[in-house]
Amino acid sequence: MEIRIFDTQEEIGAAAGKIICEFTKNNPDCVLGFATGASPVPTYNYMIKQYENGEVSFENIKTFNLDEYCDLPRSHKNSYYTFMHENLFDKIDVKEENIGFLDGNAEEKAESKRYTEAIKAAGGIDIQILGIGRNGHIAFNEPSDEFTGESYKVELTQSTIDANSIYFDDIAMPHYAMTMGIGLIMESKKIVLIATGDKKAQAVYDMVNGPVTPKCPASILQQHSDVVILLDKEAAQKII
Ligand code: GLP
């Protein structure tokens, strides 16, 4: 694991954004994995700026997102599909037909198979952006007794509901989501994980220094050969 610590979220966004933009310049038809949540937003802002400045084109990339809520229409303002369009896809030249998303309202097994095959057909994910939950979850892989494999439907924990329900002002936050499993995430060729703020400090400590255990799903990243972890000082406070 390569760990880099920064002063501001903008610096983290620039660091992650540079990794993505440089790779895309050299590999215009690359496959990028994106995450939702607040953590990657500065990264997306950096990518948008680079695109607006004519430094990079995303016209030929393919994308796959980590997860999506169940029991929520794709058009709802809180769907991850909407989030990604508002925060990135609508502001760059990625083609809509090249955007891959789990359907949180599809039949679980068939949807999982479809997504794994779509990622495989695209050649696998070159760079996967990740955030981390306060309880060490990645995507929506909550702490559990075993590491997960491909995509599946998960019941969200109270910790995740508490953290994410602030975004839901018109309806109650869904309690289920479809998520890429740990096995699928680990197949990404490179992983860039972003964590900011003191609420992530314990999860960051467990991810980096703890045992590799499904009780802290992010700890599996210790076994990936190409992981970059970008932190601010608050998130890094227990490891420095
Ligand atoms: C959600 C997402 C995760 C994300 C996490 C942290 O649970 N499913 O992919 O990493 O939130 O979000 P934030 O970056 O807003 O703290």
Side-chain angles (χ1 to χ4, degrees):
M1 286 177 155
E2 179 192 337
I3 299 173
R4 296 164 63 187
I5 300 168
F6 298 85
D7 288 327
T8 66
Q9 299 197 20
E10 284 62 39
E11 286 171 19
I12 295 177
K18 260 184 207 140
I19 292 171
I20 291 176
C21 290
E22 288 307 314
F23 189 82
T24 305
K25 276 188 224 169
N26 294 325
N27 306 274
D29 56 357
C30 63
V31 182
L32 301 177
F34 292 120
T36 51
S39 306
V41 169
T43 303
Y44 300 155
N45 290 340
Y46 182 92
M47 291 170 63
I48 293 163
K49 200 151 260 145
Q50 291 293 104
Y51 164 69
E52 287 173 349
N53 291 342
E55 297 287 339
V56 64
S57 166
F58 298 101
E59 197 182 353
N60 293 313
I61 66 165
K62 290 200 172 69
T63 78
F64 291 94
N65 258 78
L66 289 168
D67 45 18
E68 181 59 281
Y69 290 114
C70 298
D71 312 312
L72 194 67
R74 196 168 243 197
S75 56
H76 191 273
K77 65 184 173 71
N78 288 117
S79 76
Y80 282 166
Y81 181 85
T82 300
F83 177 97
M84 285 306 303
H85 281 75
E86 287 179 349
N87 285 284
L88 182 64
F89 296 152
D90 288 348
K91 298 175 178 170
I92 59 174
D93 56 348
V94 62
K95 293 186 188 124
E96 180 62 30
E97 66 263 31
N98 286 346
I99 294 171
F101 244 92
L102 279 163
D103 180 349
N105 299 308
E107 194 275 320
E108 180 184 7
K109 292 273 173 318
E111 181 60 2
S112 175
K113 189 161 177 278
R114 180 194 70 79
Y115 212 49
T116 298
E117 281 169 6
I119 293 170
K120 202 175 284 169
I125 294 173
D126 292 304
I127 305 177
Q128 175 66 59
I129 298 289
L130 288 181
I132 183 170
R134 296 172 196 179
N135 59 4
H137 76 241
I138 47 177
F140 268 135
N141 292 281
E142 299 282 26
S144 73
D145 293 333
E146 52 188 28
F147 285 116
T148 54
E150 300 188 346
S151 307
Y152 65 101
K153 184 173 178 172
V154 61
E155 182 172 9
L156 303 175
T157 61
Q158 197 57 48
S159 159
T160 301
I161 292 168
D162 291 345
N164 290 7
S165 55
I166 53 161
Y167 299 114
F168 285 81
D169 54 13
D170 56 343
I171 55 164
M173 182 183 144
H175 286 195
Y176 287 87
M178 275 292 286
T179 182
M180 275 194 207
I182 295 289
L184 203 50
I185 293 170
M186 287 292 280
E187 281 174 23
S188 306
K189 292 161 202 160
K190 184 181 189 76
I191 290 177
V192 178
L193 184 142
I194 299 165
T196 59
D198 56 3
K199 291 195 173 70
K200 303 290 175 70
Q202 187 62 44
V204 167
Y205 177 88
D206 293 340
M207 165 175 69
V208 172
N209 288 336
V212 175
T213 166
K215 304 280 180 218
C216 174
S219 65
I220 192 79
L221 299 177
Q222 293 175 31
Q223 295 181 355
H224 193 286
S225 59
D226 189 358
V227 180
V228 181
I229 296 178
L230 307 177
L231 307 171
D232 66 3
K233 293 202 172 81
E234 288 72 29
Q237 62 186 264
K238 289 184 192 282
I239 60 167
I240 46 179

